[in-house]
Amino acid sequence: METYEKLLLQNKAWATEKQKLEPNFFQQLSQEQTPDFLWIGCSDSRVPAEIIVNASPGEIFIHRNIANQLIPTDFNSLSVVQYAVEVLRIKNIIVCGHYGCGGIKAALGKQSANLVITNKWLMHIKDVYRLYKDEIDSLPTEEERVDRLVEINVKEQVKALSHTSIIQKSWHLHQQPVLHGWVYGLRDGLLKPLVTLYPDTQIDAIYQYEQLV
Ligand code: CO
């Protein structure tokens, strides 16, 4: 059997089992979604959002990309944030990085001659590294340097979220969502909270919007 065929078979088994345990599950979920959380995570296959927090379909709105970034010119992640905040009115946004992140590790090395597009995506992490170069370079091993940049990157992405008009407008009008920065440990399966920004957070003046209507 091909590997993709296994996925289709597993899906059939899952849907059948779910239907048996909760006969109204799909019928109810098909009507609407009311998730409380937006998750912005890494694409890494070892950090599947719903599984690591034991969540069910309908609980988490999800966006994943390499190294869980929120880049101000990326319409993909921004449109997810806008829909989550302005339509779904989610109450919490979680930016979740993970130790040992391949994207962060790659960003700390030279640019790959072959991965031209991926290089561009990682360029933003190189910029974050440049801000914290002394602290990161002072760490003795590559693993420690990667893991420190993983943590710093999460905090920077949470900050980047707070710099968007979407978040500032929602904080102003609805006093939500709360922004969380977490990091996941591949070795122990545990999440560690790093930072929380509440709707009354003071944002640096140069990132503030003049008028929020
Ligand atoms: Co990663």
Side-chain angles (χ1 to χ4, degrees), residues 42-44 66-68 98 100-103:
C42 184
S43 301
D44 194 305
I66 294 178
N68 41 270
H98 65 100
C101 181

Side-chain angles (χ1 to χ4, degrees), residues 161-173 203-204 207-210 212:
L161 262 176
S162 75
H163 298 162
T164 64
S165 60
I166 303 161
I167 296 301
Q168 287 185 30
K169 195 169 136 191
S170 184
W171 277 2
H172 180 67
L173 296 175
I203 298 162
D204 285 348
Y207 295 110
Q208 282 174 17
Y209 275 81
E210 290 178 321
L212 295 162

Side-chain angles (χ1 to χ4, degrees), residues 38-146:
L38 164 61
W39 178 281
I40 300 172
C42 184
S43 301
D44 194 305
S45 63
R46 298 165 295 178
V47 196
E50 291 101 333
I51 292 179
I52 63 176
V53 295
N54 204 19
S56 295
E59 284 190 69
I60 313 180
F61 202 63
I62 293 183
H63 176 80
R64 289 167 68 183
N65 63 48
I66 294 178
N68 41 270
Q69 297 184 75
L70 199 283
I71 292 167
T73 50
D74 173 34
F75 285 172
N76 185 351
S77 53
L78 285 175
S79 52
V80 171
V81 172
Q82 180 166 51
Y83 190 79
V85 171
E86 296 183 8
V87 179
L88 298 174
R89 296 253 179 266
I90 52 100
K91 296 180 179 67
N92 296 276
I93 301 182
I94 296 151
V95 175
C96 185
H98 65 100
Y99 292 122
C101 181
I104 301 286
K105 196 174 170 183
L108 281 175
K110 290 201 167 147
Q111 303 209 64
S112 160
N114 299 320
L115 299 174
V116 180
I117 306 290
T118 315
N119 289 342
K120 294 189 197 312
W121 186 253
L122 297 178
M123 203 64 85
H124 303 277
I125 297 173
K126 289 181 188 285
D127 292 341
V128 171
Y129 160 74
R130 208 146 41 82
L131 292 171
Y132 299 87
K133 189 175 171 14
D134 292 344
E135 181 189 341
I136 292 164
D137 287 353
S138 73
L139 295 167
T141 66
E142 190 199 13
E143 191 183 346
E144 285 168 284
R145 290 191 289 275
V146 168

